Amino acid sequence: MGQSSGHRWLCIRQIQVVETTMLQAHKILALTEATQATHALVLCYFLETNSKQYNLVDKNVIEIGAGTGLVSIVASLLGALVTATDLPELLGNLQHNVLRNTKLKSKHQPCVKELSWGIDLEKNFPRSSCHFDYIMAADVVYHHPFLDELLLTFDHLCKNDTVILWAMKFRLEKENKFVDRFQTLFDLEMISYFPSLNIALYKAMRKGSMKASLPN
């Protein structure tokens, strides 16, 4: 089912996902107005409220570190061709959430795929055939030991016209250093800020590409 023209039917509050953790399996997260906002929710809110400027209909979107899949679900409901990625041990839970919330609701059924940062990138996402209009990332640098591999992954997946949308906040010196390295390859621009959460949303493109128009 596609989205009717001019009809705003997406409501993040209606999405439900299951979070599987080592300590507490199958914890149901009912995403209501009372739920504490997260980086993923911030990014989802931005996508929905800026859907004209960042039109996802029929765009190729990949989410890295998708976790429970909330951003991928919302992007799919907004009409994108979505690839939701994460580590192999998280794919079952991710697939469950994506299917539960997009089946018979999205124009394109999302794809769930393994992506271990920096590993087998050309094999699993060949540059010659993989083109993503958008890369979505929500707080992917938080306390993460594989930041070198994350930078390699951004570099591999990003073409000159690819737009990265990234929700994050700086906490640790290690993370700040990663952002400095990131900016040697990409132009980074803050496009929205949520002061009560200390979360910023950034847009990034390859160096020299930031002035290019967004995909239509």
Side-chain angles (χ1 to χ4, degrees):
M1 293 175 61
Q3 181 178 6
S4 299
S5 176
H7 179 54
R8 184 184 176 88
W9 50 264
L10 174 61
C11 180
I12 295 174
R13 295 189 302 272
Q14 296 177 349
I15 296 172
Q16 288 191 341
V17 297
V18 177
E19 181 180 32
T20 303
T21 67
M22 294 295 291
L23 298 177
Q24 186 177 17
H26 303 299
K27 176 183 177 183
I28 302 297
L29 299 179
L31 299 176
T32 65
E33 291 177 337
T35 303
Q36 183 179 5
T38 65
H39 293 76
L41 281 170
V42 165
L43 183 48
C44 291
Y45 173 81
F46 179 86
L47 292 175
E48 184 176 4
T49 56
N50 294 272
S51 58
K52 290 184 178 180
Q53 181 180 2
Y54 294 87
N55 181 10
L56 299 185
V57 177
D58 297 333
K59 298 296 189 297
N60 285 311
V61 172
I62 185 169
E63 183 187 5
I64 62 174
T68 57
L70 179 59
V71 174
S72 291
I73 291 165
V74 170
S76 177
L77 295 175
L78 287 169
L81 295 96
V82 174
T83 301
T85 70
D86 215 315
L87 297 171
E89 59 268 25
L90 301 178
L91 295 187
N93 187 67
L94 177 58
Q95 178 69 64
H96 169 82
N97 290 331
V98 167
L99 184 62
R100 176 183 185 180
N101 290 282
T102 62
K103 188 176 181 180
L104 302 180
K105 300 176 184 177
S106 296
K107 184 176 182 180
H108 309 283
Q109 187 59 41
C111 170
V112 173
K113 191 170 181 179
E114 175 186 345
L115 174 54
S116 299
W117 297 344
I119 298 176
D120 293 331
L121 294 175
E122 181 59 29
K123 176 183 176 182
N124 297 324
F125 299 91
R127 289 179 184 271
S128 60
S129 58
C130 286
H131 180 279
F132 297 105
D133 299 298
Y134 290 93
I135 298 172
M136 306 288 180
D139 204 29
V140 288
V141 301
Y142 174 56
H143 227 51
H144 205 290
F146 301 109
L147 296 182
D148 290 342
E149 291 82 357
L150 174 60
L151 187 58
L152 285 173
T153 301
F154 274 127
D155 185 45
H156 181 84
L157 296 175
C158 201
K159 298 289 197 296
N160 287 338
D161 59 348
T162 301
V163 176
I164 299 171
L165 294 178
W166 182 2
M168 62 177 167
K169 61 182 175 181
F170 302 133
R171 304 178 184 85
L172 304 174
E173 181 64 23
K174 186 176 181 181
E175 295 169 8
N176 292 334
K177 288 181 178 179
F178 173 80
V179 173
D180 289 340
R181 293 181 56 204
F182 180 87
Q183 290 184 97
T184 65
L185 298 176
F186 301 96
D187 290 315
L188 190 65
E189 173 190 349
M190 183 188 294
I191 55 176
S192 189
Y193 183 59
F194 300 80
S196 63
L197 303 171
N198 192 27
I199 294 176
L201 184 64
Y202 294 87
K203 168 189 168 185
M205 295 184 73
R206 279 201 176 278
K207 284 285 187 182
S209 302
M210 187 64 88
K211 294 181 180 180
S213 299
L214 290 171
N216 293 316

